[in-house]
Amino acid sequence: MIGNRIPFFLISLAIAGSAASAWSEETFLLSNNLSGTKGIPKAFSEWPQSLRTKMNVEWVTEGEFASDAEAMKTGKGRVLFDGNTGSNWKSISYSKWSGGQWATLNVSFEKAYLIRAVDVWALHEETRDTEYVEILFSKDGKSYIPHQRTEMPDVPLKSKNFVKIPLRLEEPVLAQYLQLRIRRKKSARQQQIADIAIWGSKPDSKKKYLSATDRPEVEFSVKKVQAGVAVIDWSAYRKLNPGVKSWTLYRSSKPFDSIQEDGVELLKTVDGKEGRAPVYPLKAGRTYHLAVSAVFNEGENPKVKSIECAMPLPLACDTFSDMVAINHFWGGGANRKKDPERHAEAYETVALDLLGQTGISHVRWWLTDRRIVEKLYHKGIGLYTYPYGSNMEKGIDLGVHVFSGPGNEPDLKDDPVENYVNALKVVHAKKERLSPESVICAPSSNLEDSSLAWLEEFYQLGAKDHFDVLDLHTYCKIADGHLQPKGYPKGAPEAMFDNMRKVRDILEKHGDWGKPMISTEFGYSDAPANNPSGPITPRMKADYLVRGLIIHHVLGFQRVFLYSFFDDGDDINFTEHTFGLIDYHLQKKPAFHAVQTLMNTLDDGIYEGLVEGVQRPAYGYEFRHRDSNKKKTVVLWDGTGERTATFKTSAAEVTLTTLLGESLTLIPNPDGLVTVTFGSSPVYLSSTSDLELVKF
């Protein structure tokens, strides 16, 4: 039932000024709220002109979106279309306290206009607030189709604060009938609306427009998770179109505008309540064109906007953040403390949410449980896994392209080296048969002198041609060959430079230097005793992890998996319990904040080289940011003690970021100089121009 009819014959207004922009020249006030004035004030809108229209307004009084009775009573007459945006309390429609959720209006014009925008002025207080405005269109004034939704702007709540909610159509719609649904915020007790303005223009008979029954193409984004997986996200569009029954995802080898074109393939169908979904398996290195279509009660919209998606090769590493990965095992590792009172699913879910905060985008896990793997994909996290049993087949079906060799740390086992090499040949042959574009990473051996001797024998037995990526475990320990720079404590990550010199000697000897290289385990336990890397405090661990990751990047590693994310227990005297960035009770350690800061700061950084003038025992490296060509970041540390450095720059300011994320703004002196103090904890200097070291 529709009641409380409010007819309007709206008088045209004079057009103010001749310097209007092209957009302003196309946009007119159709609802003529300011009838009788000489022009539309700038405070009311950026568009200074109107058209003469006839407009009828009716309140919707029944059904799911029925208007609140008090809102209709107080909104009689021209209240909502009189140009008063909140200054006159007698010209406001307000709902009953704790009453209905809606103010819903059907609007009709004497003919079809090109509708471009709607403004709604609503009170924005803690107890009186509006959640969103939604516009629907109809070809007959009876059946309305949702088109777009705009939420209350994110501005502070304050008393008597009437805020304009600007709904701007992505593409104008030619329509005679429209419906406005204005929803009270769920947490508020009342909704107060001061005014509504409808904006548009006359259509050009020579042009084609969206009609009342058309829907705009689904807007979406694509994030590549790994070489065989992308996540498609249309959540923003879904908010504007809550009536969708389902979503259909498509792909093609070429751009397409309609799902009916030749070569367009249906990937999957997703429930209408969802706003994103992973798609897999995709081929590494191949370019796809992806699109999303919406299915409504009246059918599927065949019109789409496709997005090109060029899948990377396995282990592609274009920026610093591409390199950083982590060992994270849903359900725990072999040493996970068994606690029957703990709800495993709940704890694991929280842990995964915390992992999603770090910016780390790959994990190493030995299983391919589709339910859990999809949880990773939804967080934008890819997977490295093992080839055991049917894991390779399952992994390939899940879009995984990176697999381990036939065993972990074979250098620490008593089996003859040839047994591992023979098993590696089988795994590699299977990979070649099932997925030639995938890679096998081996042998996951360590860097002690005894492990390097094992690696030499591994090569002597002809293993070189049976794996694609060199995988090392790059722990830095206090014994068996790890050599730190002078003044650095044993176990410090700077031992990586000498360790990798030894590795390079072996690989060059066997003609394999230049093969892609990763580390599937690098990390530090913060156990105070029995620690293979020496007595390490939580703060030292944070220092070491950050320094170590930067060193790995400088050395050319394409992926480094920290070991690990989640502590396996709470026994501080058991080394295997305390490798995590979060503890057994889900509390963040200093290392969590340090790694998170590293990822946020270097993120899209591309390594440029050493900072000229930095001398040992200090280290300094410079990164250029890919997504901001002018921005550069210098990272500095000295593991032997505190020192200062002075840089010269033409930038107006330099941002100093500390290990755990504190950010300070440094203003160069009149000569363009800034001075920074640093020590064992790395610091970052970011600037929009070069930073030249002038004093050290």
Side-chain angles (χ1 to χ4, degrees):
M1 173 180 177
I2 296 177
N4 294 351
R5 180 179 294 274
I6 311 171
F8 295 112
F9 181 76
L10 299 153
I11 311 298
S12 65
L13 302 176
I15 299 177
S18 59
S21 67
W23 175 248
S24 296
E25 291 172 358
E26 293 178 350
T27 305
F28 299 81
L29 180 65
L30 301 180
S31 48
N32 281 335
N33 306 52
L34 302 171
S35 177
T37 67
K38 295 182 179 180
I40 299 176
K42 289 184 178 180
F44 190 80
S45 176
E46 62 267 37
W47 301 306
Q49 50 197 343
S50 73
L51 287 176
R52 181 187 299 272
T53 67
K54 291 182 180 180
M55 183 177 79
N56 287 328
V57 178
E58 297 177 343
W59 289 92
V60 174
T61 61
E62 291 187 348
E64 181 182 356
F65 305 101
S67 302
D68 176 84
E70 189 72 10
M72 290 189 291
K73 180 180 177 181
T74 55
K76 284 183 177 180
R78 287 181 50 86
V79 167
L80 293 179
F81 296 90
D82 64 356
N84 187 286
T85 59
S87 60
N88 183 352
W89 283 84
K90 295 181 180 180
S91 185
I92 295 171
S93 170
Y94 51 87
S95 65
K96 183 179 180 181
W97 194 259
S98 298
Q101 291 280 345
W102 299 96
T104 305
L105 302 168
N106 286 344
V107 179
S108 63
F109 293 99
E110 79 282 7
K111 63 180 180 180
Y113 287 94
L114 200 58
I115 310 299
R116 296 180 178 274
V118 173
D119 288 325
V120 173
W121 286 265
L123 189 60
H124 186 48
E125 297 179 350
E126 185 172 355
T127 57
R128 300 173 175 89
D129 204 0
T130 292
E131 183 176 350
Y132 63 78
V133 176
E134 184 174 36
I135 190 168
L136 302 85
F137 293 103
S138 173
K139 66 178 181 180
D140 56 8
K142 298 177 181 178
S143 177
Y144 290 87
I145 297 174
H147 193 87
Q148 192 163 317
R149 177 187 296 183
T150 298
E151 297 181 350
M152 169 69 76
D154 185 15
V155 296
L157 296 161
K158 61 181 181 180
S159 177
K160 300 181 181 179
N161 182 30
F162 279 86
V163 174
K164 181 171 78 173
I165 305 174
L167 190 153
R168 302 291 181 260
L169 294 177
E170 295 171 4
E171 190 173 342
V173 176
L174 184 62
Q176 183 177 1
Y177 305 97
L178 61 95
Q179 184 179 95
L180 297 176
R181 295 175 182 169
I182 309 172
R183 181 184 175 94
R184 170 168 63 87
K185 192 169 184 178
K186 292 180 181 179
S187 60
R189 303 294 296 277
Q190 187 185 56
Q191 178 171 239
Q192 293 192 11
I193 307 165
D195 217 42
I196 300 171
I198 301 171
W199 305 88
S201 60
K202 292 180 179 179
D204 184 338
S205 60
K206 298 178 181 179
K207 294 183 179 180
K208 185 177 181 180
Y209 304 102
L210 282 181
S211 72
T213 55
D214 288 333
R215 298 179 187 268
E217 296 92 337
V218 178
E219 298 285 343
F220 65 98
S221 62
V222 178
K223 180 178 181 179
K224 290 169 277 191
V225 175
Q226 59 192 29
V229 181
V231 172
I232 300 179
D233 189 326
W234 61 92
S235 54
Y237 183 91
R238 187 187 70 83
K239 288 182 179 180
L240 304 177
N241 294 271
V244 176
K245 291 178 60 180
S246 62
W247 308 91
T248 46
L249 281 53
Y250 295 89
R251 74 178 179 189
S252 177
S253 61
K254 58 185 180 181
F256 59 102
D257 299 318
S258 170
I259 63 175
Q260 298 168 344
E261 292 181 25
D262 291 340
V264 176
E265 174 187 359
L266 175 65
L267 281 173
K268 64 194 311 181
T269 299
V270 181
D271 187 270
K273 296 179 181 179
E274 300 296 326
R276 63 203 310 261
V279 292
Y280 57 81
L282 303 174
K283 293 287 187 180
R286 183 175 296 183
T287 297
Y288 296 90
H289 295 268
L290 305 173
V292 182
S293 178
V295 180
F296 299 89
N297 286 328
E298 57 272 19
E300 182 175 13
N301 183 8
K303 294 173 59 180
V304 293
K305 292 180 180 178
S306 63
I307 292 179
E308 181 177 287
C309 179
M311 300 307 298
L313 295 173
L315 298 173
C317 185
D318 298 324
T319 64
F320 182 85
S321 61
D322 292 335
M323 182 199 72
V324 184
I326 202 160
N327 286 265
H328 181 58
F329 321 127
W330 184 282
N335 295 296
R336 174 67 66 87
K337 175 185 175 182
K338 307 303 180 187
D339 188 347
E341 295 183 2
R342 201 173 75 160
H343 192 299
E345 182 83 6
Y347 268 68
E348 295 296 346
T349 299
V350 173
L352 186 55
D353 288 342
L354 292 172
L355 178 56
Q357 297 175 18
T358 63
I360 295 174
S361 59
H362 289 84
V363 301
R364 176 179 178 241
W365 189 38
W366 52 80
L367 296 178
T368 49
D369 182 319
R370 184 180 297 270
R371 183 180 74 91
I372 307 305
V373 171
E374 284 209 348
K375 289 179 181 289
L376 295 172
Y377 291 166
H378 274 285
K379 295 288 184 183
I381 298 173
L383 177 68
Y384 167 109
T385 193
Y386 288 71
Y388 306 138
S390 60
N391 246 23
M392 188 176 290
E393 291 88 345
K394 290 180 179 178
I396 291 168
D397 187 50
L398 286 167
V400 177
H401 284 85
V402 185
F403 300 92
S404 78
N408 191 48
E409 296 186 330
D411 55 311
L412 303 184
K413 298 179 172 62
D414 294 330
D415 285 351
V417 182
E418 53 264 39
N419 287 358
Y420 179 86
V421 174
N422 289 334
L424 178 62
K425 292 177 181 178
V426 173
V427 168
H428 191 256
K430 181 179 181 180
K431 185 272 299 183
E432 288 291 294
R433 185 176 71 255
L434 294 175
S435 177
E437 68 271 21
S438 296
V439 294
I440 297 296
C441 306
S444 68
S445 57
N446 291 268
L447 298 179
E448 289 72 64
D449 285 346
S450 58
S451 294
L452 294 176
W454 185 97
L455 184 65
E456 168 65 29
E457 187 175 354
F458 170 78
Y459 269 100
Q460 288 177 1
L461 291 169
K464 181 178 74 171
D465 296 330
H466 302 288
F467 69 106
D468 309 289
V469 177
L470 177 67
D471 174 19
L472 301 171
H473 284 186
T474 53
Y475 298 107
C476 294
K477 304 176 183 177
I478 61 177
D480 198 13
H482 296 270
L483 180 63
Q484 286 79 20
K486 185 177 180 180
Y488 278 74
K490 289 185 176 181
E494 287 73 18
M496 277 295 297
F497 290 108
D498 189 64
N499 288 339
M500 290 310 298
R501 176 190 61 79
K502 299 173 187 176
V503 171
R504 179 168 185 160
D505 288 345
I506 295 172
L507 269 62
E508 285 184 336
K509 177 181 177 181
H510 295 280
D512 211 27
W513 181 250
K515 177 173 280 185
M517 182 169 57
I518 68 170
S519 168
T520 48
E521 290 188 27
F522 164 71
Y524 289 91
S525 167
D526 43 27
N530 306 314
N531 195 322
S533 296
I536 294 178
T537 66
R539 178 59 182 245
M540 286 175 64
K541 172 177 175 172
D543 290 347
Y544 281 10
L545 289 181
V546 169
R547 283 155 45 184
L549 285 170
I550 294 170
I551 290 168
H552 279 81
H553 192 70
V554 169
L555 288 169
F557 281 79
Q558 293 186 218
R559 196 80 81 238
V560 178
F561 292 81
L562 292 174
Y563 192 91
S564 59
F565 184 64
F566 194 173
D567 274 359
D568 269 346
D570 51 11
D571 183 351
I572 63 172
N573 293 311
F574 183 23
T575 303
E576 292 294 334
H577 270 191
T578 55
F579 273 96
L581 302 187
I582 60 173
D583 68 19
Y584 183 68
H585 304 287
L586 300 172
Q587 301 305 301
K588 300 172 183 177
K589 300 183 183 182
F592 177 97
H593 299 288
V595 170
Q596 184 182 50
T597 299
L598 171 67
M599 297 297 287
N600 288 338
T601 307
L602 289 188
D603 187 22
D604 64 337
I606 297 172
Y607 175 57
E608 293 236 298
L610 298 169
V611 176
E612 187 175 347
V614 172
Q615 300 172 355
R616 298 291 174 268
Y619 291 83
Y621 301 104
E622 183 176 348
F623 291 80
R624 171 178 58 83
H625 292 266
R626 183 180 65 180
D627 295 337
S628 177
N629 289 329
K630 292 183 178 180
K631 183 180 177 183
K632 293 190 175 182
T633 295
V634 164
V635 58
L636 300 163
W637 74 85
D638 186 336
T640 67
E642 189 173 285
R643 65 165 62 228
T644 60
T646 300
F647 290 85
K648 186 173 184 179
T649 181
S650 61
E653 61 183 40
V654 175
T655 300
L656 168 67
T657 305
T658 63
L659 178 78
L660 300 183
E662 181 183 8
S663 183
L664 304 172
T665 299
L666 307 180
I667 305 300
N669 70 13
D671 295 322
L673 302 179
V674 293
T675 298
V676 60
T677 300
F678 60 95
S680 61
S681 296
V683 298
Y684 313 90
L685 292 173
S686 298
S687 171
T688 55
S689 66
D690 289 343
L691 290 162
E692 177 189 357
L693 182 65
V694 296
K695 186 178 179 180
F696 187 70

